[in-house]
Each structure stands twice: as C-alpha cells, then as structure tokens.
Amino acid sequence: MTDYDFKSLNDKEFEILCADLLGEVQERRFERFKAGKDAGVDGRYFTDQGKEVVLQCKHWSNTPLAQLIRALSNIEKPKLDKLKPHRYLLAVSNPLSRADKKAIHRALSPYVVSESDIYGKEDLNDLLKDKAHIEKRHYKLWLHSSSVLGHIFNNAILGRSAFSLEEIRSSSRYVVTANHEAALKKLERLGVVIITGEPGVGKTTLADHLCLYYVTKGFDYLKIANDIQEAEAAFDPESKQVIYFDDFLGRNYLEALKGHEGNHITQFLRRIATNKNKRFVLTSRSTILNQGKFLIDSFEHDNVQKNEYELRIQSLTELDKAQILYNHIWHSGLENEYIDQLYLNRRYREIIKHKNFNPRLISYITDATRLETCPPDNYWNYIIRSLMNPSQVWDNPFNAQQDDFGRAIILLVVLNGYALGENVLAEAYHRFLALPENQNLQGRRDFQSNIRLLTGSFLNRTVSPQGPSIIDLFNPSIGDYVLERYAGDIVALRIGIQSLRTLRALITLRSLQGNRRLSKDDAKAICEVLIEHLAEKYFGGVSVEYVSKLCDVYRGCGGFESNASEALRAAILFIFNEGLGEATDDSFEIIEWSVKQSIVTPEQALSFITGNIDIVGSYTEMRAISSLLLALPKATSGYKEIIQSVKEHVIEVVSDNFSEFIDVNLAFSMVEYEDDRTAGNNLKELIEKELVDLGVNFCADDVSSILDSYDVTQGLYDYYHNLHEENEPRSEGPAIFAIDQIEDLFDRG
C-alpha cells in the first residue's frame, strides 16, 4: 500500500509532483514559473470562463501543524488578498485530520472553496495509488515505494549484498541526469557497463542506481566484495541477476595487471554477454582502467572499451550541479545560519561553477557532523579551503581529531584495500598493539569504543545477519589521503601489513611500489621483514595462498635476484610441504623459480603438480602449471604421464566452461544466421589459439573434443535471438525532471 512521507523529496521536487498529480485530478495542466517571488503561486490554470485557479504546495513535513497554520494565516493569506484567485488549491506533506482541514479552511477562507481542495499526506497517497505512471516519473518517490524496498531486500542473494536502510535513504540526494539514462541504455543493450571517471565524480552512486533499477524489475542482486570468483560461485544461468563490482581493478590495480583478475573478469564478461538474464555493472577510475587496457592483453582482445561509459564532471550541466548542491543542502541537516552563508550574495553560484566541483566534495562540505568546530561565520572560508585543496579535506580530522589508536585502525582498513570483517580487523588491531614498536602509543586503546567513534566519520560499519559486521572506509578518498600520508613511513606501512596478514594488504604493498609511492628497495625490505617474522613463527596462522603471494610480491621487488635467505627457503618449503590441494598460480610460479635455484628438485615439482592438478581451474593457474612443466627436464621420471594428465585436465576444464574460455560472440559476429559450419570453423580457430596461450601441445582430435562439448547450433541461435537488443529501448525507469532554472531552484520564496 502506498504510504509516502515525501521526506525523500526536496521542496521543489514536492512542488513538481503535486503539479503533476493534481493536474491529472483537475484534468488541467498547471503552469509553473521561473525564478522570483511566487506570490503564493506554485502553479495555476484558467477555467473555461477565464478564471484563475491557483496551486500552492508546502513541504513542511517536519514542522508542527500549528506553525504551518500560522504561516498560512499570517503570510499566505495576505498574498491571496492581493491576488484574489477564483479558487485556491493547497497541497501539504503533513498528515491532516478532519479538524486540521477545518482550521486551514478557516485560515484561508474564502479562497479555499471547499475542504476537499486541501490535500494532505493521506490524500496525496490515495491519489498516487491509481497513478503509478506519475510515481514512476518521480524517481526518488518511486525509489522509496514499499514495492521497490521489498524488491531490494528480497532480491539480494547474499546477506552483505542487501542495501542498508541508510544507504537507500541516502538516495534522496541523487540527481537523475542524462548520464543515468545513457548508461542504462548501454547496459540494456550490451548486458555489461563499466562506469569510469575520476575520483568523486559519482561512479558508485550511478552504479548503485542502475542496479536498483534492475532489482525493481525482479533481478536478484549480488555485490562483489573482493574478486570475480564470488560472482562465478553465485552465477545461476537460469535466474535474472544483476551483479555489481565496485572499483573492480581497485586502488591496488597491479594485481589485475599481472593477469590474475583481468583474465577472470574478461572470461566472466563473456558469460554475461551471452545471457539475456544477466546484467553486470562495474566501476573503475579512468586512469586505472586505461592502464589496465594497456597492460592486460585480454582487455584489449575482448574490446572492453565497448562496455565503457565515462562519467565526467564536464558532462554535468550547471543545472545538474545546482540540483546536486541543492539536494545535499536540503537533506544535510545544516542549521539555517550555515545555509544563510551559502545564499549570501548567491555564493552557491561560486560552488556550482568551481573547477573542483564534484559530488563527493559537495557531500563533504554539507556534512553537518563535521562542523562542530566551525562556527557559521567561518563556514564559507571552510568551503573555499575545501574546494581549493580537496585532497586535504581529511587532514585536520585525521591528525587533530584522532589519537594514535584511532589512526592505527584507519590505517589498517586502508592498507587492506577493501572492506573486511570486524573480527578480522580486531585480530589485526590486537597484533598491531602487541608489536614492540607500538608500546608508547597514546590515546583510547579499546577496539570497540574506537570503532563506535570512527563509524560515520572515517568508517562504515555494516551489520550482517549472516556473519560478522563489515568495516569499510566512509569515503574512498580517505584511502587516497592515508596512503599519501604514510607513503614515506616505511615502519608504519610494514607493521600495518604485518598485523593484517591479508592477501589484500600484500596487494596494497605491490600497488604502492608500482605507483612509485614506495621505492622497490623499501618494498623489498618490508617483504624481507615479513618473511623473516613468519619464518620465526614457523608460518603459523597463515595460509599457503598468503605465503605464495608474499613471495611473489618479494620477487616483483627484485628479492629473488640474489641468493635465497634461510627465511625465504623456509617459505618455499612451506609452500611445497603444505600446498597439497591449496596451490595457486603464485605457488606454481614460486616452485618454478625454486627448481631453477635447486631448492626444490624436478621430481618434487612433479609431485607438487600431481597433488594440485585437480584444483586447477582458472586461466592463470593453467598457464602457471604449464610454465612449470616446461621448465622441468623432460627426462624427469614420470614427466610424460604428468604432461598427459595436465593436457587432459585442461581440455576438460575448457570443455566444461566453454563460453568462459572461448569468445563465442567473436566467433559468431561474422557468421550468417544458421551457418553452423562457418560458426564451427571459427570456434575451432579460437580453441586452437586458446590452447596455444595455455601452453598445451594439442592435436586436431583435442580441438574436436572441446568443440563437441558445445552445441554450435544452439549457440548461434542464442546469439541471434537471446542477446540484448541492439536498438536502445526507452527506459521505463525514472524520468529526468530538470525544468526549473538555477535561481528558481534556490529561490526561498
């Protein structure tokens, strides 16, 4: 049942809604006017006899009704005495009783002809019940409908994928621009869209709303937290799913550039592109995606740029920016004294036109919780400083408002690179406290009290019914600031990564070195200390995957260019001895190097392959195991048998996951409908290329065996009938309503 409180709308959006809704009730189009004092008129029409009917809207839902009635009597009634309309319609967002309507009728008599010309919250909801098309036109109203909220909570297929109520409410600040419609059309046409842009431009917010649109269409929603394997595990070919991967290359993009994540993602893109029941939304910073396209072969091969939609501040009109600013002010909770500073001499115009305008910065400068030490008369200077130097907006809150322990927790979250479980963070924090270097820290030591204080300012804490709470950065720009601040503090970086013991922290270390925030020698020194520390503890409490990644990062810093230390030898032997059924592509690469250094014998390497062949399934793992085999002497006992086993396993994996490894869209793109023979020949060529890339010696029978696992006729049929439409259908989603000028938007009446 429709029961809006209309608080998701600002006052101007409420006016537009009422004009739309009551226009249909009266079967007339209400005129609306440009900037200037409204004289008590938000809309009007003329009767057939030429008499004026006036509409006035009051969005005072948080105001006591007695105060509203006084304002109507003392302010609006004198305006009506001058205007003398034939009829006066009033719409308010407050709930109204029968007695309330009588009081309003008396206050505005004789212009309110009947109490039925007064529309309260209940009346507006009753009218909306039969006018779904109006509800849909007003995006933020539609977004907060009970049916949409029900879809959101019922269609999240993992607990952490459910949007919290606070995240949904934050949508009140969202402005639907042309970017929304253009990105939605691309997603509908291709099934995949990558939202790119510079930090703070609104990539994540746009992606959220694209996903919400499909959730309301009955799609299950999955938000990926760490890597593409999560989506692969939840992928259901038959169900409708919208999958979201925010910052998919991440701040720590070098991991993807090495090929691990990049190849997984392009394989998954192929699966999505051939399934009409799927939508895949990704975001990435433009600079990182551009480097990814340059350095990841599969990105270039799969023409990733066709899915790209670049979100640029330059594409926002001044009116778009004005609506973004106005929405943030309206929903900010700022006291009037602060808002007055923005209206003084139309200062809001300076913000809108500023070269550093972006939605993230607007959110920051209108956040009332950050103004405790900023009196109203200093507010404009605070805004100007933030606009002129946006990278330093976190400097004072981080340095002056946090103690050593609060800064330590923030640093741990930043070094992890992605959200992490509160239990994982707590364990890392207590390891951090136990280190000798941290015995002289000052401040509040207790973990839980620090988390409570940091939540809402530096951290987000999402409570999950299916496991521990999730901790993430309140704002991605915090990560940029903290990494820049600590780039020269080798000790802080080392003890933070040492305390975390997560794969993501190691990837951050690799990224810092790759971004040249950290020299190769410094990164190498950090790795050496980490390896030595783990060796002293006999690698207790860490996985083979973690030690393999650490050794791989160390190798990338030049750590393998000299003779192996005792600690490094111990790490390699740990991988070899404990890696049965747990090896990764990093593990195979480390074992390959150790064979060349005579740390592991060829016979031991073959036994390592034998023990892990059954778990190898990804492109990078298969390439790594093939590379290891090629590095071994062919005369090694059992070599031929292992070669054959690996070949059979690769053929089986490719056959079972055909569309992930073979780009069927590429094969069918130049084939006529029902030309199965040409389609099959094209697929054979792609299979041969894939096997060469995987380092497998093959024959024609092997290629035929893989092709036999795929139904070419059905695949070609699907290509022509089941792909997303090539035309760009008009979205049934929210309408863009940008009908007023900037001065009208900011006009206070």
Short mmCIF file of all heavy atoms in Angstrom, two decimals, residues 36 40 57 92-93 112 154 156 194 342 354 369 384 473 624 645 679 691 706 715 723 731 736:
data_model
loop_
_atom_site.label_atom_id
_atom_site.label_comp_id
_atom_site.label_asym_id
_atom_site.label_seq_id
_atom_site.Cartn_x
_atom_site.Cartn_y
_atom_site.Cartn_z
N GLY A 36 11.77 33.84 -8.97
CA GLY A 36 11.15 35.06 -8.49
C GLY A 36 10.18 34.75 -7.38
O GLY A 36 9.83 33.59 -7.16
N GLY A 40 2.59 33.34 -3.60
CA GLY A 40 1.60 32.35 -3.21
C GLY A 40 1.19 31.42 -4.32
O GLY A 40 0.20 30.70 -4.19
N CYS A 57 1.99 24.70 -2.76
CA CYS A 57 2.50 23.46 -2.15
C CYS A 57 3.40 23.82 -0.97
O CYS A 57 4.28 24.68 -1.11
CB CYS A 57 3.29 22.65 -3.17
SG CYS A 57 2.39 22.35 -4.71
N VAL A 92 -0.08 19.86 1.06
CA VAL A 92 0.93 19.85 2.11
C VAL A 92 1.40 18.43 2.34
O VAL A 92 0.64 17.47 2.12
CB VAL A 92 0.40 20.47 3.43
CG1 VAL A 92 -0.02 21.90 3.22
CG2 VAL A 92 -0.73 19.64 4.01
N SER A 93 2.64 18.28 2.79
CA SER A 93 3.16 16.93 3.05
C SER A 93 2.85 16.46 4.46
O SER A 93 3.16 15.32 4.82
CB SER A 93 4.68 16.90 2.80
OG SER A 93 5.33 17.91 3.54
N VAL A 112 -10.11 29.14 -0.31
CA VAL A 112 -10.27 27.69 -0.34
C VAL A 112 -11.77 27.43 -0.35
O VAL A 112 -12.46 27.62 0.65
CB VAL A 112 -9.61 27.01 0.88
CG1 VAL A 112 -9.92 25.53 0.88
CG2 VAL A 112 -8.10 27.22 0.84
N ASN A 154 14.42 -8.38 -0.73
CA ASN A 154 14.13 -9.78 -1.05
C ASN A 154 15.04 -10.34 -2.14
O ASN A 154 15.18 -11.55 -2.25
CB ASN A 154 12.67 -9.92 -1.50
CG ASN A 154 11.70 -9.64 -0.37
OD1 ASN A 154 12.04 -9.82 0.80
ND2 ASN A 154 10.51 -9.18 -0.71
N ALA A 156 18.39 -9.67 -2.74
CA ALA A 156 19.84 -9.70 -2.52
C ALA A 156 20.22 -11.13 -2.19
O ALA A 156 19.79 -11.69 -1.19
CB ALA A 156 20.21 -8.78 -1.36
N ILE A 194 30.78 -0.57 -17.82
CA ILE A 194 31.86 -0.19 -16.90
C ILE A 194 31.78 1.32 -16.74
O ILE A 194 32.03 2.06 -17.69
CB ILE A 194 33.24 -0.60 -17.44
CG1 ILE A 194 33.30 -2.11 -17.70
CG2 ILE A 194 34.34 -0.20 -16.46
CD1 ILE A 194 34.56 -2.56 -18.41
N LEU A 342 25.59 30.27 2.46
CA LEU A 342 25.59 29.83 1.07
C LEU A 342 24.75 30.74 0.19
O LEU A 342 25.02 30.89 -1.01
CB LEU A 342 25.08 28.39 0.97
CG LEU A 342 25.91 27.33 1.69
CD1 LEU A 342 25.19 25.98 1.64
CD2 LEU A 342 27.28 27.21 1.06
N HIS A 354 32.69 26.19 -9.63
CA HIS A 354 34.09 25.97 -9.24
C HIS A 354 34.70 24.81 -10.04
O HIS A 354 34.04 23.80 -10.29
CB HIS A 354 34.19 25.68 -7.74
CG HIS A 354 35.56 25.90 -7.19
ND1 HIS A 354 36.58 24.98 -7.33
CD2 HIS A 354 36.09 26.95 -6.52
CE1 HIS A 354 37.67 25.45 -6.76
NE2 HIS A 354 37.41 26.64 -6.25
N THR A 369 27.80 17.06 10.53
CA THR A 369 28.54 16.45 11.64
C THR A 369 30.00 16.88 11.68
O THR A 369 30.67 16.68 12.68
CB THR A 369 28.46 14.91 11.55
OG1 THR A 369 29.12 14.47 10.35
CG2 THR A 369 27.02 14.44 11.54
N ILE A 384 35.62 27.27 0.92
CA ILE A 384 36.61 27.70 -0.07
C ILE A 384 37.90 26.90 0.07
O ILE A 384 38.50 26.46 -0.93
CB ILE A 384 36.89 29.22 0.06
CG1 ILE A 384 35.65 30.02 -0.36
CG2 ILE A 384 38.09 29.62 -0.77
CD1 ILE A 384 35.24 29.80 -1.80
N LEU A 473 35.80 1.90 4.52
CA LEU A 473 36.03 3.33 4.61
C LEU A 473 34.73 4.10 4.39
O LEU A 473 33.92 3.73 3.53
CB LEU A 473 37.06 3.78 3.57
CG LEU A 473 38.49 3.25 3.75
CD1 LEU A 473 39.37 3.74 2.61
CD2 LEU A 473 39.06 3.67 5.09
N ALA A 624 50.23 -21.10 -15.43
CA ALA A 624 51.33 -21.24 -14.48
C ALA A 624 51.80 -22.69 -14.38
O ALA A 624 53.01 -22.96 -14.33
CB ALA A 624 50.91 -20.73 -13.11
N SER A 645 48.38 -35.89 -18.19
CA SER A 645 47.34 -35.61 -17.19
C SER A 645 46.94 -34.13 -17.21
O SER A 645 45.76 -33.79 -17.13
CB SER A 645 47.83 -35.99 -15.79
OG SER A 645 48.04 -37.38 -15.70
N ALA A 679 30.41 -21.18 -38.39
CA ALA A 679 30.50 -20.92 -36.95
C ALA A 679 31.42 -21.92 -36.28
O ALA A 679 32.26 -21.56 -35.45
CB ALA A 679 29.11 -20.97 -36.32
N LEU A 691 44.41 -22.91 -26.63
CA LEU A 691 45.30 -23.98 -26.18
C LEU A 691 46.76 -23.57 -26.32
O LEU A 691 47.59 -23.92 -25.47
CB LEU A 691 45.01 -25.26 -26.97
CG LEU A 691 43.63 -25.90 -26.71
CD1 LEU A 691 43.44 -27.13 -27.59
CD2 LEU A 691 43.48 -26.29 -25.24
N ILE A 706 36.90 -30.68 -27.65
CA ILE A 706 36.39 -29.49 -26.96
C ILE A 706 35.18 -28.93 -27.68
O ILE A 706 34.16 -28.59 -27.06
CB ILE A 706 37.50 -28.42 -26.85
CG1 ILE A 706 38.63 -28.92 -25.95
CG2 ILE A 706 36.93 -27.11 -26.32
CD1 ILE A 706 39.84 -28.00 -25.91
N GLY A 715 24.06 -22.37 -29.81
CA GLY A 715 24.82 -21.16 -29.51
C GLY A 715 24.60 -20.08 -30.54
O GLY A 715 24.44 -18.90 -30.20
N LEU A 723 20.41 -12.40 -27.36
CA LEU A 723 21.27 -11.32 -26.89
C LEU A 723 20.44 -10.09 -26.60
O LEU A 723 19.28 -9.97 -27.02
CB LEU A 723 22.33 -10.99 -27.95
CG LEU A 723 23.45 -12.03 -28.09
CD1 LEU A 723 24.42 -11.56 -29.15
CD2 LEU A 723 24.17 -12.23 -26.78
N SER A 731 13.99 3.60 -21.64
CA SER A 731 13.90 3.07 -20.29
C SER A 731 12.53 3.35 -19.70
O SER A 731 11.95 4.41 -19.89
CB SER A 731 14.97 3.70 -19.40
OG SER A 731 14.70 3.45 -18.05
N ILE A 736 13.67 12.28 -16.14
CA ILE A 736 14.55 13.38 -15.74
C ILE A 736 13.70 14.64 -15.64
O ILE A 736 13.02 15.00 -16.59
CB ILE A 736 15.67 13.57 -16.76
CG1 ILE A 736 16.52 12.31 -16.84
CG2 ILE A 736 16.52 14.78 -16.42
CD1 ILE A 736 17.55 12.35 -17.92
#
